[in-house]
Amino acid sequence: WESSYQRFIKGEHPQTIAINPTSGRPIQVGTVVSHILEALVQGNRVPLGRLAMAQQPPNKDEWDRLRQCEELTGIDCTGDPDTSGANGEKFRLTD
């Protein structure tokens, strides 16, 4: 996540980072965005306005639907997939 974050902070667009990541193999733009968000979680500054131009954040209605799904399933949609499943278990796409 650190290289994606550093490149974003230096002004590169997430799509550019995704096409030519430091690993050499192209990755999804969403992966780059998740790297940048990880930097935010780790306490780094992130220009959210610039990030929102690359990938629009959920609107209020979408957040409300996500909360409803969380309540119905017990799954934390913003948590670590290893522990955000029902009852703190690993999240699986079949959930």
Side-chain angles (χ1 to χ4, degrees):
W1 66 265
E2 292 173 330
S3 63
S4 294
Y5 170 71
Q6 290 299 327
R7 290 175 63 185
F8 178 73
I9 289 300
K10 290 178 182 174
E12 287 188 66
H13 191 279
Q15 188 170 16
T16 303
I17 299 167
I19 292 169
N20 189 20
T22 54
S23 68
R25 290 182 42 200
I27 58 177
Q28 297 292 318
V29 174
T31 301
V32 174
V33 170
S34 72
H35 291 168
I36 297 164
L37 292 174
E38 179 62 28
L40 179 66
V41 170
Q42 296 292 330
N44 294 285
R45 298 182 116 177
V46 172
L48 295 176
R50 247 185 75 224
L51 185 60
M53 287 189 284
Q55 183 166 330
Q56 186 174 4
N59 63 36
K60 184 182 179 329
D61 290 339
E62 291 167 331
W63 275 117
D64 289 343
R65 284 185 283 176
L66 285 169
R67 283 190 196 105
Q68 289 172 348
C69 290
E70 284 181 337
E71 290 172 10
L72 290 171
T73 63
I75 295 172
D76 177 3
C77 69
T78 62
D80 181 341
D82 287 334
T83 58
S84 64
N87 302 315
E89 298 170 3
K90 182 173 181 148
F91 172 77
R92 292 170 183 67
L93 287 177
T94 56
D95 295 342

